[in-house]
């Protein structure tokens, strides 16, 4: 379960994807499959979520990891590298960025 708190010691990763409405559904399916079949089973994974904007031109993925190194290790696996190549083909760009919670209201 996702917990957003300043006291949380986990690593938060927000990844944004830009695509056309024509590929949004395919990209959403690819991301959901990646989480369901692989990512959520990786060491250090806590939670994840996928958000789609109304225009279906952007997807934001939110994930939490016990440590930064856990997320980085997942990205380096052969399976995730293959999945990321397929994901990259469905969007014009994507960018994962690590964050720490600064404030919660």
């Amino acid at each position: 379960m996702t917990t957003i708190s300043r006291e949380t010691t986990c690593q938060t990763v927000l990844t944004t994807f830009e695509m056309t409405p024509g590929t949004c559904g395919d990209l959403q399916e690819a991301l959901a499959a990646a989480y369901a079949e692989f990512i959520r089973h990786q060491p250090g994974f806590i939670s994840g979520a996928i958000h789609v904007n109304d225009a279906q031109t952007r997807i934001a993925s939110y994930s939490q990891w016990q440590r930064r190194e856990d997320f980085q290790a997942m990205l380096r696996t052969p399976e995730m590298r293959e999945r990321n190549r397929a994901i990259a083909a469905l969007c014009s760009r994507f960018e994962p960025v690590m964050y720490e919670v600064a404030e919660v209201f």
Side-chain angles (χ1 to χ4, degrees), residues 27-75:
L27 180 55
Q28 185 178 347
E29 288 176 12
L31 291 170
Y35 272 104
E37 299 166 7
F38 182 71
I39 297 171
R40 73 184 185 127
H41 301 292
Q42 298 308 295
F45 177 78
I46 298 171
S47 68
I50 299 169
H51 304 263
V52 180
N53 74 336
D54 288 345
Q56 296 189 338
T57 56
R58 291 183 186 263
I59 291 178
S61 171
Y62 182 96
S63 63
Q64 290 182 324
W65 297 82
Q66 289 178 1
R67 301 174 313 128
R68 170 185 298 256
E69 294 82 9
D70 295 328
F71 174 73
Q72 292 169 330
M74 179 274 301
L75 286 179

Side-chain angles (χ1 to χ4, degrees), residues 89-101:
L90 294 170
C91 59
S92 58
R93 73 183 200 101
F94 73 97
E95 178 180 17
V97 179
M98 295 184 188
Y99 291 90
E100 293 181 11
V101 177

Side-chain angles (χ1 to χ4, degrees), residues 4 14 16 18 23-24 26 45 54-55 63-64 71 86 97 101 105:
I4 302 173
L14 296 173
T16 54
E18 294 179 13
T23 59
C24 183
D26 293 335
F45 177 78
D54 288 345
S63 63
Q64 290 182 324
F71 174 73
V97 179
V101 177
F105 302 97

